[in-house]
Amino acid sequence: MRTQVAVIGAGPAGLLLSHLLHLQGIESVVLESRDRDYVEHRQRAGLLEQGTTDVLRESGAGERLDRVGLVHHGVELRFGGAGHRIPLTDLTGRTVTVYAQTEIVKDLVAKRLADGGDVRFGTEVLAVDPSAPSVTYRSGGETRTLDCDYIAGCDGFHGVCRPAVPGGRTFSREYPFAWLGILADVAPSTDELIYAQHDRGFALHSLRSPKVSRLYLQVPPDEDLAAWSDARIWDELATRFATDDGWKLHEGPITDRSITPMRSFVTEPMRHDRLFLAGDAGHIVPPTGAKGLNLAVSDVIVLARALAERYASGSEALLDGYSDAVLRRVWRAEHFSYWMTHLLHTDPAASDFERRMQRAHLDYVVSSEAASASLAENYVGLPVTWPSGD
């Protein structure tokens, strides 16, 4: 079998890339190890930069996003018993939108299948050959080979594509905390996200819909999820979100819970021969800055444009500049996520001096328009970085 672009992984990055290539008349096959039900229901990020929502709309995949996505114009930093709103739209002219990654995947799967796209679930990729580009995979008990012009590695941190880039250099950082995340069938207690810094640890109040709340607690990375009863979770959330004006947290049935470790990771380069990495295959950010999904989208926007130029004109100039271009934006997002994480989390090893420095920094961010604007500019998303010469 043969196609123009073999896409490994049916997460948002792989599906969106396949969709954008289709709009340019470029054939692709998407290979995904998990079944469709698993892919469409795994819980992931849910905050979209305006650039992400723009490309979904412009590509024709934004109908349900526009109908049920929740557009936000600000975000709250809460500490010392008080909330401080950062007016994102006033400071940047842009917005963010709450729309779960699960919903994006459902939309893109439906779009690709409706357009006659070749998306193969339950297909285990065994190996990729970046030089004589091909993918070896197992499906239905048979081992087969898919020949192609290019391979897009959108198969995440544990996939086969990143190890196929020889001589790569990796950069990583492990954080001394994790997030205990829950979904609850209860109306959100807030109209905009709340990032709370507390002596007992960080907490985040997000939302999924007018009837579903998404909340997080900072916990140790080796925390036992079984140690957290529903009552304990709600009590701890109420403590960390408490304000001097008596703000109340709505409680309800918890339908999902998990613990997510926090780390930063980047691999360089993100290309070898005919193999290109995108999304978590090339980089991971701590979730504090809500950059993971949005970085994956910006990667495939650049890659789709570079591939379209290659098939339209024969020029590989944009493909040659892909890795350097996306890594510039990746490192900017890594820094922002690192900064937000240290600004808001309670380091168990921090000295009293370091904690007072953290509070001083928070006071500055919410009292200085310039500091608030810097946070807002990064939070709503910086422009896509294109290959030089484009």
Side-chain angles (χ1 to χ4, degrees), residues 22-34:
H22 167 73
L23 296 178
Q24 296 293 327
I26 300 169
E27 295 178 353
S28 67
V29 174
V30 181
L31 305 176
E32 166 60 46
S33 62
R34 302 284 191 167

Side-chain angles (χ1 to χ4, degrees), residues 192-210:
E192 297 176 338
L193 273 68
I194 302 172
Y195 289 78
Q197 191 278 329
H198 191 276
D199 288 344
R200 294 176 63 89
F202 168 77
L204 170 62
H205 193 325
S206 184
L207 50 160
R208 281 294 179 264
S209 75

Side-chain angles (χ1 to χ4, degrees), residues 117-141:
D118 192 342
V119 182
R120 306 183 187 186
F121 296 101
T123 300
E124 180 188 6
V125 174
L126 304 175
V128 296
D129 184 342
S131 300
S134 65
V135 179
T136 303
Y137 66 94
R138 182 183 293 118
S139 179

